Amino acid sequence: MRQTFIKTDNVIRFQTAVSRMEDRENGQPGIALVWGQAGRGKTVALENYYSEHGGVYIDVWEDWTQAAFLQALCFEVCGLRPRGSNLCKVKIVEHLQKDPRTIFVDEADRLHIKRIEDLRDIHRATGCSVVLVGEEELIGLLGERRRIWSRVTEEIEFRPVSPMDVIQYGVHAADLDVTQDACSLIVKNSDGDFRLVRNMMQMLEQAAKAKETNVADAPMVQAVVKTRSWRRS
């Protein structure tokens, strides 16, 4: 199966929202909240946008202290890891004031609320937008502080994968013509998780090759579904 990126409805809404924030003349810079269940393509959409448009990208580690977080962010901004949280924040602000860029934070639900406050400080000082990407817990995290929530200008929920997404993915990744009934079964058994769709499609590609066909129908999907437990409890 080929590595492929398709513009799902989730991806289009994500790209539109971030582009709107980055429009310094007509947009509204602020904080973007991007949330949804694991496996729905948030990180892939983020990495694709970042690779095409640039910015500052940071992937959060569990239990980061303020110093560890700001050193990691500072290194991504300007290649430096100063000692001391305050000096890190000063360097980040200085460089972003000269070279404004959007800050993309993946796994943001792992951050302590005080790290979100650090990002708010940086946003206020530089005007640079901050895109926070995480699971459902991210909403509650930001909701703890009104002064943070009031700066959320974009909110993008990554919804379950749709039958149209499955059709597109089948064609582009595996040259498969997935029937409507098959798409419905894939969506149902994957619980809207794009990672599981990818795994199913890989097995369907193998099954289709064995039958010397490029059509994936409902019976073929049913056979794949029986091989393992796909949905999470």
Side-chain angles (χ1 to χ4, degrees), residues 30-43:
I31 297 173
L33 170 61
V34 183
W35 63 278
Q37 180 177 295
R40 291 188 176 170
K42 301 182 300 297
T43 295

Side-chain angles (χ1 to χ4, degrees), residues 9 19 35 54 69 75 87 105 147 166 172 182 186 188 204:
D9 175 66
S19 295
W35 63 278
F69 169 66
F75 183 78
L87 183 56
V105 184
R147 62 176 172 266
V166 173
H172 293 288
I186 291 171
K188 177 182 177 181
L204 287 170

Side-chain angles (χ1 to χ4, degrees), residues 101-112:
R101 286 173 285 166
T102 299
I103 301 172
F104 298 96
V105 184
D106 200 12
E107 305 282 0
D109 51 293
R110 289 180 164 188
L111 288 173
H112 189 281

